[in-house]
Amino acid sequence: MDLNLNAPHSMGTTIIGVTYNGGVVLGADSRTSTGMYVANRASDKITQLTDNVYVCRSGSAADSQVVSDYVRHSLHQHTIQMGQPATVKVAANLIRLLSYNNKNMLQTGLIVGGWDKYEGGKIYGIPLGGTLVEQPFTIGGSGSSYLYGFFDQAWKEGMTKEEAEQLVVKAVSLAIARDGASGGVVRTVIINSEGVTRNFYPGDKLPLWHEELEPQNSLLDILNATSPEPMAM
């Protein structure tokens, strides 16, 4: 995700939404950067729109925030007028409308996920041009490039809540390990008929992939641990 101080503040991000048997799991990393500088290492890219609908934000931090704010306001009015909660489809379609009508100005890709009594758990992707695609799972942000093969292999229909969340956390941690623009902690949001659960997985508790070094408290620990034996004369 991206901020703007000359370089846009970007959530050069990893975001994920998956459906499971009974609801949806949304997941994201937490790195917001300005060029090479990490402006926020623990940002929250999963934003509440209504009680039952959330959105994962990638691309320009400013653009994704202002779109979310507009849509949250519209959905609040919609809920009052209808006298009942907005559906996931209505929320996604409002974001689609804003993204499409302002495609020349906006630089943000969004994933909408939630649960409603009519259609259950639903995931919608709204990429850069303002298309709306309903999918059983979708991935976004710079880190998603590294995950397509993994999801082709690992995703399956009818997962349990635990399987779905495990998959999301594993996927985000894989993307963090490879993508320089993703990092920090992993956040998840689980939405189903019972409500919403938020979880937090700190960076030092994530699995280490492909010979990554263990977290160290001091540079000296690393130097001492890796110093070669003196050569025998």
Side-chain angles (χ1 to χ4, degrees):
M1 207 172 195
D2 221 37
L3 299 165
N4 205 337
L5 314 166
N6 295 338
H9 260 70
S10 133
M11 299 191 288
T13 294
T14 304
I15 50 173
I16 300 175
V18 307
T19 54
Y20 71 88
N21 202 356
V24 301
V25 181
L26 301 174
D29 74 307
S30 68
R31 177 170 296 183
T32 299
S33 43
T34 309
M36 293 255 65
Y37 175 69
V38 177
N40 185 352
R41 64 195 177 96
S43 36
D44 183 3
K45 303 180 185 183
I46 312 174
T47 299
Q48 187 176 30
L49 294 177
T50 68
D51 290 345
N52 57 311
V53 184
Y54 281 68
V55 61
C56 301
R57 304 178 290 113
S58 75
S60 159
D63 292 358
S64 64
Q65 281 170 9
V66 82
V67 168
S68 304
D69 290 347
Y70 268 116
V71 170
R72 194 183 307 107
H73 178 256
S74 301
L75 288 172
H76 184 62
Q77 286 185 313
H78 175 83
T79 303
I80 292 165
Q81 284 165 0
M82 302 297 286
Q84 60 174 343
T87 62
V88 188
K89 186 183 276 182
V90 165
N93 200 41
L94 274 170
I95 287 188
R96 192 268 314 160
L97 202 66
L98 270 177
S99 287
Y100 181 78
N101 289 336
N102 302 285
K103 61 164 75 179
N104 300 329
M105 288 184 289
L106 294 175
Q107 206 159 20
T108 177
L110 300 143
I111 295 170
V112 178
W115 183 94
D116 64 66
K117 64 182 179 186
Y118 301 104
E119 298 195 86
K122 286 286 176 190
I123 294 284
Y124 294 91
I126 300 118
L128 274 169
T131 324
L132 180 63
V133 263
E134 193 219 319
Q135 287 173 307
F137 71 90
T138 187
I139 58 183
S142 55
S144 65
S145 326
Y146 304 93
L147 295 179
Y148 282 94
F150 170 70
F151 266 95
D152 288 341
Q153 182 260 316
W155 193 83
K156 60 184 197 282
E157 197 88 50
M159 286 184 290
T160 65
K161 180 173 81 176
E162 291 71 28
E163 285 175 321
E165 195 192 16
Q166 235 172 353
L167 175 68
V168 167
V169 174
K170 185 177 182 181
V172 177
S173 73
L174 278 164
I176 284 173
R178 286 288 180 187
D179 177 30
S182 300
V185 306
V186 176
R187 297 180 190 277
T188 62
V189 171
I190 304 165
I191 313 167
N192 54 37
S193 59
E194 285 156 38
V196 178
T197 311
R198 258 194 186 274
N199 290 323
F200 172 88
Y201 300 86
D204 59 355
K205 296 289 184 283
L206 298 176
L208 297 172
W209 303 107
H210 59 260
E211 299 170 5
E212 283 182 291
L213 294 174
E214 289 283 352
Q216 304 287 338
N217 292 322
S218 160
L219 182 60
L220 296 174
D221 296 347
I222 299 174
L223 295 175
N224 294 336
T226 57
S227 60
E229 290 298 308
M231 225 164 53
M233 296 302 285

